[in-house]
Amino acid sequence: MNNDIPVQALGPQGEVMAHAVDACVHCGFCLPACPTYALLGDEMDSPRGRIVLMKEVLEGGLDLLNAAPHLDRCLGCQACVTACPSGVPYGELITSFRGWSEPQRQRSPLDKAKRYAILKALPAPKLFSVAARVGQYAKPLAPVLPAALRGPLDLLPEHVPAMQPSPRVTPAQGQRRGRVAFLTGCAQQALAPNFNAATLRVLARNGIEVVIPDGQGCCGAAALHTGARDEALRLVRANLDAFNPDEYDAILSNAAGCGAGLKEYPIILHGLHDEERAKAFSAKVQDISEYLATLAREEGLEPFMPASRPLKIAYHDACHLAHAQKVRSAPRELLRMIPGVSIVEIPEGDLCCGSAGTYNLEQPELAGQLGARKAGHILSTTPDLIASGNIGCHTQIQSHVRRQGSPVPVMHTVEVLDLAYQGEL
Amino acid sequence: MTTEKLALTTNSPAHKPRSKGGADNALAAELMRLLGPKKVLSSLAERLSYRFDAIQFGVTPLAVVLPESTEDVIATVKAARRAGVRIVGRGAASGLSGGAAPMQPSVVISFTRMTKLEIFPERREAIAQPGVITLAVTDAARPHGLIYPPDPASFRTSTIGGNLGENAGGPLCFKYGVTGDYVTALDFVDAEGELHTLKRDAYDLAGLLIGSEGTLGLITSATLRLTPPPKFTRTLMAHFAEVGQAAEAVSAAIAAGAVPGKLEFMDQACTNAVEDYLHLGLPCDAGAVLLVDTDGDDLETVEVERALVEAACLEAGGVVRRAEGEAEAAALWQARRSVSPALGRIRPQRMNEDIVVPRSVLPEVVRQIRALGDASGFKLVQFGHIGDGNLHPNILFDPRKESEEAVHALAHEIALVALRHGGVLSGEHGIGTMKRDFMRDAVDAETMAALWNVKRALDPSGALNPGKILPDETHA
């Protein structure tokens, strides 16, 4: 799309944004992929429409205030990136735009407080755990609370599990085949500590030593995607200090959102002095499923015990795994290796579940509609179990599946593998 | 340079919008009063999202209406008429000729929320509102053993209303025809806001509405014919050193009696653009690639037809690859569907032609167009439904570095090649604004006057989608 974006005035991120706008030919192939277009049916809530809005704001022809409601509704799911034949890096555009525009936004005090609380609590597992516990007791009060507080409470599980500390080093069992670093994730540690425990067990069982480096923190994706660029840069640099890529075969994440965030570091630091470090770092980043599937293909995995009965698993593609990281086949390959397991594909599988990082908290109405739609589609396949690779999707899908009256278990892919190793699947 | 030519690019300084929120004109306020706020878009951010299609940028509309019923459409047309404001109908705006891009301040009626679809398997028909996505018709019909054959490349995005406006076709058009061949009845709202129901008897007024790009009426419902899908399909791909050879193979295969379901071609630049996107292992060194489906209910005939095509391709110097199984065939067809937008990887802007020529002259026409492109210095690519003689030469350019007047001049020369060889200006994408200026070369003055008489009969005040299809009479 031809444009007059004043690249020089906007700095390195301006270059990123102008390049993305250039690449869009407004063909409309992205429209059917976009969750908000599916719900709202209007152009300004589609990827193509949002690109036009961002272009106009950057050129100075449109007030940010006018464009913001439509840009805020973008889930950042990047389904449009998968659908785009012209290769528009939409994810980079919206992320950079949010970072550029956030300092110019005027927000209500309640809105500010909520964003502040989210950005402080998410990266701090202990704080998050305490908040989650408080929230758990506040749940009955939800109907009388303002909507801004009702959203987060809605999402909390009935029972918030106890925190489980992870050992700094988990030795490989048997002959050591590899050594990896692991990012433990933030909210995930409080909401689903078994994800990490299962990950460590599965890796160790396959001869992989796992190191959880000191000084690591939040990947920074939540801050970045909500426009808190300075905060994000601080978190990104802390991780670059904590993980020395030369020491490990891979740097692993088991949360799709965090993994995508880690892989984005070179974009975030584009034009800044740590860009080269970020490239070396992100080149080593893999999702747990990518790493295990490669290991399975190249050297083989320890065999799984068969499931106790034929098991139909509905595998949900997390947007940040399928669209942002292009990891689709690895989790399916791994699950299919368990004797007795078959995978069913979910109708409209490419459509976001509505969780999308902090979206659930910022746009609860649209998130709720998408969650209900996703749960309906999943349950239409009559699965015995639902698997996915992201804590956000996990929480969202579990909550909507329960709301539709189904007791079907929802698990992380690696939890399923772990149970199969223990003969408990 | 005319306004239309200027508007080919994004940045027409004359149309640079001023920032303002809220219902900033009386018409938008009136529409909101009549229809309620949810169906009317009036802020600048909302309105400027409706000034483009898949090729062209036009003028920011005064208001956008998202009707949910025919009554909403009628109320909008009447209100616009009272205010003396022009009306532009729009589907998903994936069109390639500027048909859905407003060329002056107007009301845009965007049909994307009118998505009611009913299937009547016993009479093999569907009744669709204009906002129904094209692919959704086949998706809904398939459980009943039926499909809706018109299959434009944009069928996941485009709407039935838009397909009707442009009389869209697709790869299947060679054997199965285009949108207009599947319409048995239409409802439309005229320029006065009156609703009419048309069957295809007496004067074929429905036929006139189809492909009229919203210049004669606004279609609010269509009855579409469904057919059972062919039982067997076989796919082959052939590649050639040079585009003319591919065209020779097509002519020879059809002359030998093959009637393929689909017969498409892509030149080297297209193949490479798609390969960059999908990584399918396409033959990137080849000057042209043909993609062919033969289909039918009798497997032996389907195989015989594929063998005829294969022999013709080999005779013309091609290398043939048979698709083994449905997955490979599907991947090859996805490649073809992605050509048009994948070209954006080469240059940010393009001018899309949509000529149709007799098949007997195909080799000569594609070679002449190739030569024009080579001589022009522009990046020119060709693809299209070659079985039908329908070619899409595309001129790719960068408006910041290359002259748009030169682009138009080249497009004009290409159009003249088609006309000299007994062809026409548009197969399936419409005339819109992109080829409006070439109409005088294609249509004699008397016939043009007849077209204008039709336009005036149905839209006396020129309210509907002005600036499209017909060149101004005053310059005749």
Side-chain angles (χ1 to χ4, degrees), chain B residues 234-237 306 321-330 332:
Chain B
R234 291 293 179 266
T235 300
L236 75 78
M237 192 177 82
R306 178 157 76 165
R321 166 177 153 197
R322 292 177 169 226
E324 302 298 336
E326 280 178 29
E328 191 181 346
L332 292 176

Side-chain angles (χ1 to χ4, degrees), chain A residues 127-147:
Chain A
L127 182 60
F128 189 88
S129 180
V130 171
R133 261 159 231 288
V134 172
Q136 191 184 331
Y137 294 109
K139 254 174 117 75
L141 300 173
V144 298
L145 293 173

Side-chain angles (χ1 to χ4, degrees), chain A residues 2-238:
Chain A
N2 197 17
N3 63 77
D4 284 335
I5 296 172
V7 178
Q8 302 302 327
L10 298 170
Q13 295 295 306
E15 218 174 277
V16 173
M17 292 189 278
H19 165 69
V21 172
D22 270 342
C24 175
V25 294
H26 42 99
C27 66
F29 269 44
C30 55
L31 299 180
C34 177
T36 54
Y37 184 76
L39 293 181
L40 301 167
D42 57 49
E43 187 73 48
M44 59 282 178
D45 291 301
S46 77
R48 175 173 72 172
R50 289 189 178 107
I51 293 174
V52 170
L53 292 183
M54 287 186 266
K55 171 187 104 70
E56 296 285 345
V57 172
L58 291 168
E59 286 176 346
L62 178 70
D63 283 347
L64 176 60
L65 189 67
N66 240 223
H70 309 294
L71 302 176
D72 287 351
R73 281 184 206 136
C74 171
L75 295 114
C77 70
Q78 303 199 38
C80 53
V81 174
T82 301
C84 178
S86 305
V88 177
Y90 176 87
E92 295 169 16
L93 172 61
I94 187 96
T95 300
S96 304
F97 187 88
R98 283 176 172 168
W100 170 80
S101 62
E102 188 57 33
Q104 307 168 45
R105 295 287 292 272
Q106 291 181 341
R107 295 181 179 275
S108 73
L110 184 62
D111 209 14
K112 269 190 197 157
K114 190 174 79 174
R115 291 172 68 84
Y116 181 80
I118 292 169
L119 290 180
K120 281 293 163 206
L122 263 186
K126 281 185 188 138
L127 182 60
F128 189 88
S129 180
V130 171
R133 261 159 231 288
V134 172
Q136 191 184 331
Y137 294 109
K139 254 174 117 75
L141 300 173
V144 298
L145 293 173
L149 296 175
R150 228 180 296 145
L153 284 183
D154 240 18
L155 281 175
L156 280 181
E158 295 299 326
H159 172 70
V160 179
M163 290 271 286
Q164 292 179 15
S166 300
R168 193 180 173 280
V169 177
T170 305
Q173 286 171 26
Q175 195 199 343
R176 195 177 93 166
R177 296 202 282 174
R179 182 166 188 264
V180 299
F182 180 54
L183 180 95
T184 52
C186 306
Q188 172 175 297
Q189 287 183 65
L191 291 175
N194 192 49
F195 287 12
N196 286 358
T199 300
L200 297 177
R201 282 194 292 269
V202 169
L203 286 169
R205 190 177 191 111
N206 281 290
I208 309 298
E209 180 182 276
V210 190
V211 181
I212 299 177
D214 289 331
Q216 65 166 289
C218 170
C219 67
L224 193 70
H225 294 159
T226 49
R229 189 172 158 77
D230 291 345
E231 175 75 1
L233 281 173
R234 192 181 62 74
L235 295 166
V236 166
R237 291 205 162 103

